[in-house]
Amino acid sequence: MKSVSMIAVFGLLFSCNSTAQKKEKDQKSEFPITKTEAEWKTELSSEEFYVLRESGTERPFSSPLNKEYSKGIYHCAACNTPLFESEHKFDSGTGWPSFDREIEGNVAFSVDYDLGYARTEEHCATCGGHLGHMFNDGPRNTTGKRHCINGVALEFVPAKN
């Protein structure tokens, strides 16, 4: 009886191993633009690769886009998909470019538990690049959302006059 219990315990431990990891890998391959790690490394700077492909975070207040308030569109630095409009940008005081809404359909959302609690993670819906996280502490007079985005994941395209 003792050996049956041990086998059952080991079976449970090993059966719960990687369905979440498989799902995550499958989701990344569902994006319209897919490239190998080597291809991304040749196209992105080391900091862009760290943030966009490895879900890293740039240092706060390090991006020149944090204080960019010209009229234009913020695109994905990896695939050039338009993600955020300048009219929805605001100074959150956090040190990262912040927006109260995304361009609908161009940003994908998932949940990450990297810090031990659930956070809404944002990705480019075209290439799957990690952008940042969304929080519910944005401007109350608009959406109440704060899309806290790594500046290195963005490319600003100024509006033509």
Side-chain angles (χ1 to χ4, degrees), residues 142-160:
T142 61
T143 64
K145 305 290 183 197
R146 174 172 55 98
H147 299 264
C148 187
I149 307 300
N150 290 284
V152 72
L154 301 173
E155 183 176 319
F156 179 68
V157 178
K160 295 178 180 169

Side-chain angles (χ1 to χ4, degrees), residues 2-71:
K2 194 175 188 180
S3 62
V4 172
S5 298
M6 292 291 277
I7 290 171
V9 169
F10 281 116
L12 281 173
L13 287 174
F14 289 109
S15 68
C16 297
N17 63 353
S18 65
T19 55
Q21 291 171 345
K22 286 179 186 172
K23 186 175 181 181
E24 181 179 319
K25 285 184 179 182
D26 290 345
Q27 284 178 345
K28 289 188 179 186
S29 65
E30 290 177 13
F31 294 105
I33 294 178
T34 56
K35 297 180 183 183
T36 66
E37 185 174 313
E39 288 172 320
W40 284 120
K41 281 186 175 182
T42 63
E43 295 179 20
L44 303 171
S45 71
S46 59
E47 190 175 7
E48 288 171 334
F49 184 84
Y50 169 67
V51 170
L52 287 159
R53 306 316 311 169
E54 296 179 324
S55 300
T57 302
E58 69 186 359
R59 287 184 348 266
F61 302 102
S62 64
S63 173
L65 294 180
N66 189 40
K67 295 294 183 182
E68 176 62 64
Y69 289 101
S70 303
K71 188 167 176 56

Side-chain angles (χ1 to χ4, degrees), residues 45-111:
S45 71
S46 59
E47 190 175 7
E48 288 171 334
F49 184 84
Y50 169 67
V51 170
L52 287 159
R53 306 316 311 169
E54 296 179 324
S55 300
T57 302
E58 69 186 359
R59 287 184 348 266
F61 302 102
S62 64
S63 173
L65 294 180
N66 189 40
K67 295 294 183 182
E68 176 62 64
Y69 289 101
S70 303
K71 188 167 176 56
I73 305 285
Y74 294 83
H75 290 234
C76 174
C79 71
N80 205 30
T81 297
L83 303 170
F84 302 97
E85 297 175 359
S86 60
E87 64 199 52
H88 302 297
K89 188 170 190 286
F90 67 97
D91 186 357
S92 65
T94 62
W96 289 280
S98 297
F99 305 86
D100 70 356
R101 69 196 75 175
E102 77 282 6
I103 295 176
E104 198 167 323
N106 291 359
V107 176
F109 300 91
S110 64
V111 177

Side-chain angles (χ1 to χ4, degrees), residues 128-141:
H130 169 77
L131 302 172
H133 292 86
M134 184 180 68
F135 302 96
N136 292 319
D137 60 2
R140 295 195 192 283
N141 61 336

